[in-house]
Amino acid sequence: MAEIRRVKESDVDTLVQLVHDLAAYEKAPAECRLNAAKLHTALFGEHPAVFAHVAEQDGEIVGFALWFLNFSTWRGVHGIYLEDLYVRPALRGSGLGKALLATLARECVENGYQRLEWSVLDWNPATGFYKALGATAMDEWTVYRLTDTALDNLARTA
């Protein structure tokens, strides 16, 4: 039986490994620069801005949801942006992903947040799972991102 719970400081090393596993699954392992110090500060530092839940089975962390608050100007309230959802491959289809998402949905409802959002790669087979939960693909929206040199260049123009 799996338990979904909030992340603890002692979970950080395992979470970092799972994030790297996710990056490998998404065919971008070289882009993952997360380490335990960075994640520990983000989750447990003086001003934590990232939150996480883990799925633990038989004393082992086998999945996680890492998230942060966003804000909808149109609705006038916060929501949750799910940065990463990951379940070890051997346990996919076991209900752990749904349990993690249900926990975040409950977090939204209990706190008056009106959105739970996330991005998914087009080729990810989980898109069918998300649609079955009632999630709507925001096909008319395109994600834009600035990183590395482009981010530095723009910052210098301010």
Side-chain angles (χ1 to χ4, degrees), residues 55-114:
E56 186 175 46
Q57 186 168 317
D58 300 324
E60 178 186 2
I61 296 173
V62 295
F64 74 96
L66 191 127
W67 56 277
F68 55 89
L69 295 179
N70 60 13
F71 186 80
S72 169
T73 54
W74 289 14
R75 293 188 174 226
V77 296
H78 282 98
I80 286 177
Y81 186 84
L82 174 61
E83 178 66 21
D84 288 329
L85 176 69
Y86 183 76
V87 174
R88 290 190 190 271
L91 293 167
R92 292 183 188 150
S94 69
L96 291 175
K98 183 177 181 180
L100 284 161
L101 285 170
T103 298
L104 296 187
R106 194 166 36 259
E107 188 89 26
C108 286
V109 170
E110 290 173 358
N111 289 289
Y113 307 153
Q114 293 188 7

Side-chain angles (χ1 to χ4, degrees), residues 106-129:
R106 194 166 36 259
E107 188 89 26
C108 286
V109 170
E110 290 173 358
N111 289 289
Y113 307 153
Q114 293 188 7
R115 286 184 179 167
L116 173 55
E117 295 182 312
W118 62 94
S119 297
V120 182
L121 291 167
D122 291 340
W123 57 261
N124 190 324
T127 55
F129 162 65

